[in-house]
Amino acid sequence: MFQGGGNEGKGCLEISYSRKLVLHCEYLPEARMRQMGLILKDEDRRHLREIVEQGDPSATIVLRAQIMLGSEGKSRRDVARELAVSTQTIAKWQRRYEVEGINGLYDRPRSGKPRRFARDELIALINETLSKKCPGRLAWSVRAVAKETGLSPAMVGRAWRDLARERRVQARDGLADLPSAPAVTPEPAGAAVHL
């Protein structure tokens, strides 16, 4: 049962549930803004469109720019469905944009040991290995590529998944005629890769 109270004009509503009075407050302008989507500045909108048009489709900054452009006038749920990401991801990048502006969409420096190989070098090394005949096997596995290249199985596995994800995105978006993926055999049951 809803009852009026002195706080209604402030976005609050008193609700009484069988002798218990609960004060339920929602800040309507903020909630409404989240439902209706984000409002971008014209300059930011132009910059985000440039990122999407000129960027590598596999780059995370392109996805973030698409999130921001798609957020105008749409709910987080709708944007998440369109871009196949979670609503938490949408919320994270919207908050970063609101606080830091366009610079908040770029990666922050990470702690820890720097990477041994640049992403492109790693993928080139793996592709070069995959183009060779696999010694003693019918097809390459993550562990066989790791042994051949001297890289860790975890590093090879991550790069391999990234390549597969890029191919799926490119095939879905019709960006390129992709060569078929190299023959990959699953690891034997006892030799699981722990990533």
Side-chain angles (χ1 to χ4, degrees), residues 17-154:
Y17 296 103
S18 63
R19 296 188 181 177
K20 287 186 179 179
L21 183 64
V22 178
L23 185 63
H24 179 70
C25 290
E26 290 183 17
Y27 296 99
L28 296 177
E30 183 180 327
R32 185 155 321 256
M33 181 192 77
R34 288 205 171 118
Q35 286 177 351
M36 297 307 294
L38 197 67
I39 299 171
L40 299 172
K41 299 175 196 165
D42 289 337
E43 181 181 328
D44 288 350
R45 189 178 302 110
R46 276 193 299 276
H47 186 71
L48 291 167
R49 283 187 182 134
E50 286 176 14
I51 290 172
V52 170
E53 290 169 3
Q54 297 172 2
D56 176 12
S58 66
T60 55
I61 187 64
V62 173
L63 175 62
R64 295 168 193 168
Q66 289 172 333
I67 287 171
M68 300 316 299
L69 289 170
S71 293
E72 282 194 296
K74 293 182 186 172
S75 70
R76 287 180 180 161
R77 185 178 294 156
D78 292 339
V79 177
R81 273 194 207 118
E82 283 179 21
L83 298 175
V85 296
S86 70
T87 54
Q88 291 87 351
T89 300
I90 304 295
K92 172 186 178 177
W93 294 112
Q94 285 178 347
R95 276 192 306 273
R96 289 261 300 256
Y97 173 78
E98 289 170 1
V99 172
E100 301 175 35
I102 229 123
N103 291 331
L105 301 179
Y106 290 93
D107 286 330
R108 294 177 177 157
R110 295 177 184 259
S111 63
K113 185 177 177 181
R115 293 181 179 223
R116 280 181 28 200
F117 294 97
R119 184 178 180 283
D120 294 336
E121 292 172 347
L122 178 63
I123 290 173
L125 181 62
I126 291 171
N127 279 333
E128 180 183 328
T129 305
L130 292 174
S131 66
K132 299 176 190 172
K133 185 174 180 347
C134 182
R137 296 184 82 167
L138 294 176
W140 288 100
S141 68
V142 169
R143 289 184 183 268
V145 172
K147 187 175 180 181
E148 182 76 17
T149 59
L151 301 171
S152 73

